[in-house]
Each structure stands twice: as structure tokens, then as C-alpha cells.
Amino acid sequence: MKSNLLFLIITVTLFTSCSKKDKFECGVESNSPPTEDSSILFIPTAFSPYQDGLNDQFLITTININSTHIEIYNNENELLFETDEWKGWAPNTETGLTLYHYKVTAKSLQGYEYYRCGDVYSFKCLTKGFDANKLIFGDQFDPTQPGYYLPGTSAEIIENCK
């Protein structure tokens, strides 16, 4: 009688996602300049790169700032863009609404160091249920206002996605 032995080897591999996080963690805390420092760092929360001449880039406005370092991440927390020569940024956005994350460090002319991180939306249209009231665009910048912007004053035309 012939005996057939069958060996079965099972390999189990566990997959975990280490790159995607529920929330962007940049490792810095926002801070405000002392009252004697005249610098301003204004960071909008949205831009619309559909080339209409208004808010086409993620553009940070600075006044009395000596240097900046900016990093932009996608929703998987992968670094997409990094620069010390800030002139604005606009990805090729094909979808309706895309969330990006930023990390900014800047130094004022008087030596104060800023640390900021947060979210910025790029959109061609807004998805159903998205609250457009939480968006702040670059054209709302007003250095005379608290927070350096006038709420509700953007000339941006916001359409809903079809």
C-alpha cells in the first residue's frame, strides 16, 4: 500500500496601512506673533485651480516675513510639494473636491517664528452636503480685520458638482 503524504503550507500575511491616517498630524502647534511683531501670515483654506483668474493657486500671503518653508501633503500624508521659494501651488485637479494638508514654518523680519499646519481644499465644484461657509479664499485677505480676512466677501463662484 502506497502512502501519499500531502504537505500543505499556509502563509498568512497581515496587511496594515501605516501611511493613511484619519487626521493629518504635522507635529507643530499654531502660534501667534507677539503684539510688537508687525508680521502677518495669512493662509486660506481653499483655492479653485480652474484658471478663471481668481484664487487659482494655493497662495499664502505674507507681510514682513523674511523666510518661509512650505510642505504640501495628499490625503495619504505623502509629501507632494516642498519649497523655500513660495510663489503659490496648484495641482492638476480633475475631481470636484480634493483635500490637501500643509505645514508652514516662517520667520518674521523681527525674528519671530511661525508654525502652522492645516487643511486646504482644491475644487472645481463642491460635492453635495459640503459646507462652503467654512472656506476662506485668498481674495478675502484684509490685514485690518481679525484673522486677516472678511468672512463672506469672496468673489469666487462656487458651483455644486453634478
Side-chain angles (χ1 to χ4, degrees), residues 3 12 17-18 22 26-27 33 35 37 39 48 54 57 60 68 72 77 84 87 89 93 101 103 145 147 149 152:
S3 170
V12 177
S17 174
C18 296
D22 292 336
C26 68
T35 54
D37 192 311
S39 62
S48 57
L54 183 64
Q57 295 183 35
I60 295 170
T68 57
I72 310 252
N77 295 339
D84 292 326
K87 296 188 183 2
W89 177 75
T93 302
H101 312 288
K103 180 178 177 181
Q145 297 298 311
Y149 79 101

Side-chain angles (χ1 to χ4, degrees), residues 41-43 58-62 65 67-73 79-89 101-106 116 120:
L41 179 66
F42 174 74
I43 305 173
F58 177 44
L59 193 57
I60 295 170
T61 303
T62 62
I65 297 288
S67 64
T68 57
H69 179 82
I70 298 163
E71 299 171 6
I72 310 252
Y73 297 83
L79 182 65
L80 300 176
F81 181 78
E82 182 176 19
T83 187
D84 292 326
E85 306 274 333
W86 183 250
K87 296 188 183 2
W89 177 75
H101 312 288
Y102 64 83
K103 180 178 177 181
V104 176
T105 55
R116 298 279 192 284
V120 61

Side-chain angles (χ1 to χ4, degrees), residues 11-64:
T11 303
V12 177
T13 306
L14 298 175
F15 293 96
T16 59
S17 174
C18 296
S19 61
K20 184 167 174 64
K21 297 184 178 176
D22 292 336
K23 186 174 167 112
F24 178 65
E25 296 176 15
C26 68
V28 300
E29 291 185 29
S30 292
N31 54 354
S32 299
T35 54
E36 64 273 6
D37 192 311
S38 62
S39 62
I40 294 174
L41 179 66
F42 174 74
I43 305 173
T45 62
F47 63 103
S48 57
Y50 49 82
Q51 303 305 314
D52 66 349
L54 183 64
N55 303 311
D56 289 333
Q57 295 183 35
F58 177 44
L59 193 57
I60 295 170
T61 303
T62 62
I63 296 176
N64 295 328

Side-chain angles (χ1 to χ4, degrees), residues 50 123-126 132-133 135 137 154-160:
Y50 49 82
F123 69 91
K124 296 221 175 193
C125 59
L126 294 182
N133 292 322
L135 301 178
F137 295 94
S154 176
E156 189 67 55
I157 297 171
I158 303 173
E159 296 182 9
N160 291 323

